[in-house]
Amino acid sequence: MTSSGSGRNVLVRPPDNQESRCGGGAHTAAPQAARCAQPEGASMSSLDYTYEHIDDVIDRSNMLTKEIDPARTMLLVLDMQKACVTPGGAMYIESVAGAPEGKDTVSVVSRVVDACRDKGIPIVWSMWGLRPDGKDAGYADVKWGLVGELDNFPGAWGNGGDELDDALKPDGDEPVIRKHRFSSFYGTALTEYMRRAGADTLVIAGVSTGNCVITTAIDGANQDFKIITLADSNAAIPATLDNQPDGYGQHWEALRNIQANHGDVWLSTEFLQAIGA
């Protein structure tokens, strides 16, 4: 990745079938090359598999977005709430099959937020929750076996899990969306925020990959926005299968689906380098 003379920060990719940014491309493993994508000074964490193997498990040979223009980019901090990303949260996301653990995504998102503020990239935050009386739940209470019990559900507003992790604080001019559906576009002003900002690219940092990340990516792509999700900031509540092999499960399947159909999967380190942070 290099910075162009035009003032735009450009992501430069090698041609297909040559050495990729973080591995050896979709079909050639080069984990020692991927290791350099980790944040400087990083220690062993649940993110290691992502940094070392992203190009082994996701075919990133066809990328939609090849450059980042900060003037046309918006960051969405997606549902970084205590229930899922803060240790002890009632829906805390453990690392399964090489996917990131909830707490390890917090520092990634924090670095991206700081860099976007520094570069003047506008930021929107979203938070997901349901009414304790279930009036906005649709079929969710039925599907989750919680009919008549949402008042005690950690994903209901006011039960503590709905709050943002303490390490993440929106600035006063950064809109915060409260939503009752997984997609951050559905029933919200996110499209209007993007149009007003002149943004055609939405960068997603947050959770959960199998629910809110992929539905937001689909809804954004359906409006012809360019979608980038940052894989080391994403995590998914794991399925209940035992002995899930690394690189499989709903986190990885959602990322593969996004890359194949709805946008691009980057690492936060790639994004930060592309904006010169």
Side-chain angles (χ1 to χ4, degrees), residues 34-43 45 47-48 51 104 107-108 111 232 267-270 272:
R35 174 68 71 174
C36 69
Q38 297 188 59
E40 186 175 348
S43 57
S45 78
L47 304 180
D48 291 351
Y51 293 132
D104 291 337
S107 59
V108 173
R111 283 193 295 270
D232 51 338
L267 296 171
S268 68
T269 47
E270 294 169 339
L272 294 176

Side-chain angles (χ1 to χ4, degrees), residues 165-249:
D165 184 88
D166 291 338
L168 299 169
K169 305 288 185 185
D171 276 356
D173 62 344
E174 296 169 356
V176 179
I177 295 168
R178 285 168 58 98
K179 60 190 176 107
H180 65 291
R181 290 292 185 267
F182 290 150
S183 171
S184 291
F185 283 102
Y186 183 86
T188 79
L190 181 55
T191 296
E192 286 75 16
Y193 293 146
M194 291 192 67
R195 302 287 189 212
R196 177 60 67 95
D200 64 5
T201 301
L202 183 69
V203 177
I204 300 172
V207 303
S208 67
T209 327
N211 292 328
C212 299
V213 174
I214 191 169
T215 54
T216 299
I218 290 171
D219 281 357
N222 284 342
Q223 298 180 73
D224 293 328
F225 291 126
K226 299 175 184 177
I227 303 297
I228 297 171
T229 192
L230 305 179
D232 51 338
S233 78
N234 304 146
I237 299 171
T240 55
L241 297 176
D242 293 331
N243 302 316
Q244 189 81 55
D246 286 353
Y248 290 88

Side-chain angles (χ1 to χ4, degrees), residues 21-134:
R21 295 190 297 282
C22 300
H27 306 294
T28 306
Q32 62 270 36
R35 174 68 71 174
C36 69
Q38 297 188 59
E40 186 175 348
S43 57
M44 293 286 289
S45 78
S46 68
L47 304 180
D48 291 351
Y49 184 86
T50 300
Y51 293 132
E52 294 179 358
H53 296 289
I54 187 168
D55 286 308
D56 300 332
V57 296
I58 301 172
D59 183 348
R60 301 197 296 166
S61 57
N62 295 317
M63 300 292 272
L64 176 64
T65 303
K66 297 181 174 62
E67 66 178 31
I68 296 292
D69 180 356
R72 296 186 62 79
T73 300
M74 176 172 282
L75 173 68
L76 173 65
V77 181
L78 181 67
D79 305 358
M80 291 294 291
Q81 291 160 263
K82 290 182 176 179
C84 289
V85 302
T86 304
M91 297 185 289
Y92 184 69
I93 299 174
E94 301 286 353
S95 175
V96 173
E101 181 178 351
K103 68 178 179 62
D104 291 337
T105 66
V106 175
S107 59
V108 173
V109 173
S110 181
R111 283 193 295 270
V112 172
V113 167
D114 288 346
C116 285
R117 287 172 178 161
D118 184 61
K119 298 296 180 180
I121 294 173
I123 300 172
V124 174
W125 301 67
S126 71
M127 300 169 65
W128 175 86
L130 298 175
R131 289 173 55 100
D133 61 12

